[in-house]
Amino acid sequence: MLIRLFGYSLLAFACSSSFAHDYSAGELQIAHPWSRALPPNAVTGAAYLDVHNQGKTVDRLLGAQTPRATKTEIHTMLQLGEVMKMQKLDSVGIPAGGDTKLAPGGTHLMLFGLQKPLVAGERFPLTLLFEKAGKVEVEVLIETAEPDPHAGH
Ligand SMILES: [Cu+2]
């Protein structure tokens, strides 16, 4: 019951179109949260999304939580010689008037201790915590491949 402890956001709301998968909270717009479908034995996964900040000051993503995983961390990828390593971040900035993209190969939300396999087509709730915009509840769509940003969704 992690989600109950963490609480629901009063700031977040989904667009009215049944196909839209975007959220806004304060000065932030969050586009298409998604996660890659994984084999049933996978114990860790990742979630991705785009955040646009239409405000005049920077905001920061401080963390996230979902009942689908025991722990969620912000990670980035670091090139160490020949290998890419993941490194935990305390926060990630969303510049004033700018965008921050959480995507495969870059900054992502790491989901540790998956409570259920990530099956394509399913959705799960994710609570994002921003420094200024506060808590934002979104639904993560599980997909087999990275969604085309130019396709309507
Ligand atoms: Cu990671």
Side-chain angles (χ1 to χ4, degrees), residues 23-31 50-61 92-101 130-133:
Y23 303 84
S24 60
E27 303 284 9
L28 300 184
Q29 280 146 1
I30 298 153
D50 295 342
V51 189
H52 175 70
N53 181 0
Q54 61 189 6
K56 294 194 168 22
T57 54
V58 67
D59 202 345
R60 302 194 72 79
L61 176 62
V92 54
I94 302 106
D99 297 276
T100 294
K101 190 175 168 68
F130 293 96
E131 193 173 72
K132 296 202 175 80

Side-chain angles (χ1 to χ4, degrees), residues 3-111:
I3 202 71
R4 189 167 296 165
L5 293 172
F6 206 59
Y8 286 95
S9 171
L10 297 173
L11 296 170
F13 58 93
C15 294
S16 53
S17 158
S18 59
F19 293 101
H21 189 210
D22 296 337
Y23 303 84
S24 60
E27 303 284 9
L28 300 184
Q29 280 146 1
I30 298 153
H32 203 85
W34 71 283
S35 181
R36 201 189 295 280
L38 293 174
N41 58 348
V43 291
T44 58
Y48 312 104
L49 46 90
D50 295 342
V51 189
H52 175 70
N53 181 0
Q54 61 189 6
K56 294 194 168 22
T57 54
V58 67
D59 202 345
R60 302 194 72 79
L61 176 62
L62 304 176
Q65 201 156 11
T66 172
R68 197 74 178 233
T70 52
K71 188 171 68 168
T72 303
E73 291 182 352
I74 304 169
H75 279 189
T76 195
M77 303 295 280
L78 273 187
Q79 179 96 39
L80 288 178
E82 305 260 293
V83 285
M84 294 292 283
K85 285 220 159 181
M86 293 196 293
Q87 190 182 55
K88 184 176 183 283
L89 297 177
D90 290 332
S91 67
V92 54
I94 302 106
D99 297 276
T100 294
K101 190 175 168 68
L102 274 59
T107 305
H108 56 276
L109 293 170
M110 197 80 197
L111 310 173

